[in-house]
């Protein structure tokens, strides 16, 4: 494709995207396709160049029906996966420039814009200058890096010798059953193993880690000759947005030099609001932490901020220095390849920069506050209705709710009822919510915070909830 054809096709694509975005509220939220339907509708492998027009037509007929509309104002599932148009432009700039991030020299701007935007985000979320940041693809990768750093600290850099296989005493990692599945996966992938992941008890009301239980587990493990290596604390857990008390956990970690990683993937966005920062009080005492601007804040996926304090340790663990990557500026510059697992990196900082520059922090804060108020409004309706309950206190914008007419249902009958009404709403395409288990029973999570969701959409949801739960 030559540059002039690119220009023309590019304009067509932007027009297509803008029209598509306009059409989202008219579409079903949940993709109404069965398994194999999209692949069956794919055109054959082209043997001749196609026109941009025919490709865009295929997007309309083949792809769009197979898209679950997470930008839809009635999407309340999983988490808000906002993709603000301003950040989309930054992502297009990233792709369009075709940069290569494998060393500072391969694109000095990629490294330095990332450093500056990470500092901006640090400032916007009220963190101190002790933290240095980078942008990973996801919080899952960030958590794996956090656990690798913990592993190497506790094992005195076992990677430089026989690795975990040469250790005499097993390393232990502590979290709670509320932690995201990526924590267990990272523990597995770091070679620590499931049986060394300790699920610490939680408070039955708030689902936050019981810190005295944590201290007890650590004591018992130490007595048994094991090595406590890491605590992964949740700042906003997946199912019910529980906040572990980071300050108290940090006290326990400090006593034994245990690495503390804070997973704030979802709730980190809230920390743009000073009034929410008490929820992660003590975060300054953690060793590493991560959060996803690609969720509620709305910088298009993939954009996960990872911050550490001990960058010397980070580099001891992750740096490589092969001859073909050496340059004359080594030692003076940041080599982001030494901050994570991949060598080649995208220019992800551009989408964050575009997002901040074109939307502006004030508008972002205003939208986050709108969502908190909308979630509060729905929580008030639910709590005031005799047949509905809020299963956990509302901490941010995700509700955990259940309908139980007259309080008469329990056990399997209650589960059947819950799954029926939420299944009906989801299948209808009118709205989408995620059913989730809590304490052995099904409940429904309502995650508020799509950019397009206004109060009227919450009102429509409340009507739907009542209509479908009372039927059947
Ligand atoms: C979404 C989420 C994750 C995983 O995020 P990815 O970026 O998709 O890996 C981890 N932890 C929490 C608390 C989350 O909400």
């Amino acid at each position: 494709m030559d540059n002039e054809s690119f220009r023309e096709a590019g304009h067509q694509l932007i027009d297509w995207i803008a029209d598509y975005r306009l059409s989202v509220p008219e579409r079903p939220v949940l993709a109404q396709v069965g398994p194999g339907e999209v692949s069956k509708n794919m055109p054959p492998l082209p043997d001749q160049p196609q026109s941009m027009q025919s490709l865009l037509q295929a997007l309309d007929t083949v792809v769009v029906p197979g898209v679950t509309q997470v930008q839809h104002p009635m999407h309340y599932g999983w988490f808000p996966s906002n993709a603000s148009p301003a950040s989309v432009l930054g992502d297009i700039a990233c792709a369009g420039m075709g940069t290569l991030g494998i060393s500072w020299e391969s694109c000095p701007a990629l490294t330095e814009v990332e450093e500056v935007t990470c500092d901006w985000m640090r400032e916007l979320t009220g963190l101190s200058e002790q933290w240095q940041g980078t942008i990973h693809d996801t919080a899952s990768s960030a958590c794996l890096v956090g656990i690798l750093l913990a592993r190497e600290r506790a094992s005195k850099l076992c990677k430089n010798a026989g690795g975990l296989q040469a250790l005499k005493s097993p390393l232990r990692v502590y979290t709670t059953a509320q932690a995201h599945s990526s924590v267990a996966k990272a523990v597995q992938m770091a070679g620590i193993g499931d049986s060394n992941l300790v699920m610490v008890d939680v408070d039955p009301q708030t689902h936050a880690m019981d810190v005295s239980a944590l201290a007890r587990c650590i004591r018992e493990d130490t007595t048994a000759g094991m090595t406590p290596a890491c605590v992964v604390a949740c700042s906003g857990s997946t199912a019910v947005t529980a906040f572990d008390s980071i300050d108290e956990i940090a006290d326990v970690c400090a006593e034994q030099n245990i690495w503390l990683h804070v997973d704030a993937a979802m709730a980190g966005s809230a920390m743009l609001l000073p009034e929410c920062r008490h929820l992660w009080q003590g975060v300054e005492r953690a060793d590493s932490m991560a959060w996803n601007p690609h969720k509620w804040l709305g910088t298009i996926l993939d954009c996960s901020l990872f911050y550490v304090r001990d960058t010397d340790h980070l580099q001891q663990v992750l740096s490589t220095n092969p001859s073909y990557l050496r340059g004359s500026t080594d030692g003076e510059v940041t080599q982001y390849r030494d901050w994570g697992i991949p060598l080649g990196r995208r220019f992800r900082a551009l989408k964050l920069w575009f997002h901040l520059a074109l939307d502006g922090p004030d508008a972002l804060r205003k939208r986050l506050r709108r969502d908190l108020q909308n979630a509060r409004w729905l929580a008030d309706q639910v709590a005031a209705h005799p047949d509905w309950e809020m299963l956990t206190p509302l901490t941010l914008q995700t509700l955990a709710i259940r309908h139980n007419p007259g309080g008469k249902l329990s056990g399997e009958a209650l589960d059947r009822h819950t799954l029926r009404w939420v299944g009906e709403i989801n299948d209808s395409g009118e709205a989408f919510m995620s059913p989730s288990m809590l304490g052995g029973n099904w409940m429904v999570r309502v995650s508020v915070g799509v950019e397009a969701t206004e109060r009227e959409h919450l009102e429509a949801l409340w009507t739907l909830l009542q209509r479908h739960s009372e039927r059947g």
Side-chain angles (χ1 to χ4, degrees):
M1 180 176 258
D2 64 32
N3 209 40
E4 278 317 304
S5 315
F6 171 80
R7 190 188 304 280
E8 196 183 321
H11 282 288
Q12 285 175 278
L13 178 63
I14 297 285
D15 280 340
W16 183 88
I17 294 172
D19 289 341
Y20 171 75
R21 288 284 184 125
L22 260 184
S23 78
V24 165
E26 317 309 325
R27 300 183 183 276
V29 187
L30 184 64
Q32 309 283 302
V33 295
E37 217 172 306
V38 176
S39 54
K40 194 183 74 216
N41 288 333
M42 278 292 284
L45 171 66
D47 53 3
Q48 294 295 318
Q50 313 276 298
S51 71
M52 187 65 181
Q53 208 50 50
S54 71
L55 199 50
L56 293 177
Q57 245 160 35
L59 279 190
D60 280 323
T61 55
V62 180
V63 174
V64 172
V67 175
T68 291
Q69 299 294 347
V70 295
Q71 310 307 329
H72 195 294
M74 294 297 276
H75 167 63
Y76 303 98
W78 310 298
F79 51 83
S81 180
N82 288 318
S84 90
S87 69
V88 170
L89 291 175
D91 216 22
I92 292 173
C94 160
M97 289 173 73
T99 56
L100 172 64
I102 54 174
S103 64
W104 178 85
E105 280 181 318
S106 74
C107 185
L110 186 153
T111 300
E112 297 191 9
V113 174
E114 184 162 326
E115 289 180 299
V116 172
T117 49
C118 288
D119 289 354
W120 285 347
M121 295 309 287
R122 188 181 67 190
E123 197 180 314
L124 280 172
T125 50
L127 294 172
S128 77
E129 290 181 2
Q130 285 186 57
W131 296 98
Q132 301 296 312
T134 187
I135 307 175
H136 285 315
D137 54 359
T138 59
S140 302
S141 301
C143 182
L144 176 58
V145 171
I147 286 174
L148 293 174
L149 297 179
R151 184 187 81 185
E152 293 304 310
R153 180 151 97 184
S155 70
K156 307 200 167 54
L157 298 173
C158 73
K159 63 153 193 150
N160 295 335
L164 280 182
Q165 301 190 75
L167 296 188
K168 299 221 166 48
S169 97
L171 303 183
R172 305 282 275 177
V173 176
Y174 308 84
T175 194
T176 74
Q178 292 299 314
H180 190 267
S181 57
S182 56
V183 177
K185 187 166 178 174
V187 167
Q188 289 177 349
M189 296 302 106
I192 291 169
D194 264 347
S195 61
N196 291 308
L197 176 60
V198 182
M199 294 297 183
V200 179
D201 286 344
V202 295
D203 176 282
Q205 250 76 56
T206 62
H207 299 272
M209 184 182 284
D210 174 344
V211 182
S212 56
L214 170 70
R216 197 164 54 242
C217 291
I218 291 174
R219 250 192 333 268
E220 286 168 7
D221 285 355
T222 310
T223 309
M226 298 189 269
T227 308
C230 185
V231 176
V232 180
C234 298
S235 251
S237 67
T238 304
V240 298
T241 329
F243 284 84
D244 294 340
S245 167
I246 302 179
D247 234 351
E248 290 174 41
I249 294 172
D251 286 340
V252 175
C253 289
E255 259 174 52
Q256 305 221 25
N257 197 27
I258 299 171
W259 191 276
L260 174 55
H261 176 74
V262 173
D263 176 8
M266 171 61 211
S269 301
M271 304 310 165
L272 269 79
L273 307 178
E275 65 269 29
C276 290
R277 290 183 196 151
H278 64 98
L279 291 167
W280 73 358
Q281 181 165 355
V283 69
E284 286 293 329
R285 302 168 64 199
D287 296 285
S288 57
M289 66 96 146
W291 72 275
N292 289 347
H294 73 222
K295 286 183 165 173
W296 188 16
L297 190 69
T299 311
I300 187 172
L301 201 143
D302 51 351
C303 188
S304 184
L305 287 167
F306 176 72
Y307 289 96
V308 280
R309 289 191 301 159
D310 186 350
T311 52
D312 288 343
H313 177 65
L314 173 90
Q315 284 170 61
Q316 276 185 324
V317 174
L318 292 164
S319 80
T320 51
N321 199 16
S323 55
Y324 49 83
L325 289 177
R326 285 188 205 151
S328 57
T329 53
D330 290 358
E332 294 169 53
V333 296
T334 300
Q335 296 292 5
Y336 272 133
R337 67 171 181 269
D338 297 342
W339 286 59
I341 293 158
L343 169 61
R345 317 175 75 254
R346 304 175 68 232
F347 202 157
R348 291 200 189 90
L350 282 180
K351 54 184 154 189
L352 205 44
W353 181 11
F354 272 51
H355 193 193
L356 293 172
L358 297 175
D359 282 357
D362 276 345
L364 296 177
R365 283 188 285 257
K366 193 162 165 235
R367 176 163 60 75
L368 297 170
R369 289 194 175 106
R370 173 202 67 176
D371 297 338
L372 290 173
Q373 282 163 10
N374 280 342
R376 170 52 58 201
W377 178 86
L378 184 62
D380 288 346
Q381 312 310 304
V382 169
H385 194 294
D387 293 341
W388 284 89
E389 49 176 338
M390 287 283 293
L391 298 176
T392 56
L394 181 70
T395 49
L396 287 180
Q397 43 54 263
T398 303
L399 294 77
I401 63 171
R402 202 150 55 202
H403 179 254
N404 191 350
K408 286 200 288 268
L409 296 174
S410 63
E412 280 179 29
L414 180 57
D415 281 347
R416 266 197 309 279
H417 176 66
T418 304
L419 294 175
R420 182 200 52 82
W421 67 254
V422 71
E424 263 180 35
I425 296 176
N426 288 349
D427 290 346
S428 76
E430 287 187 79
F432 183 79
M433 292 156 283
S434 307
S436 178
M437 293 288 267
L438 183 67
N441 277 105
W442 286 99
M443 55 91 171
V444 174
R445 287 171 75 257
V446 181
S447 185
V448 178
V450 172
E451 237 182 289
T453 304
E454 298 287 352
R455 178 65 58 84
E456 67 193 77
H457 302 105
L458 271 299
E459 288 165 2
L461 179 69
W462 180 228
T463 306
L464 272 181
L465 288 171
Q466 292 176 91
R467 178 157 17 105
H468 285 271
S469 62
E470 278 153 23
R471 194 192 290 161

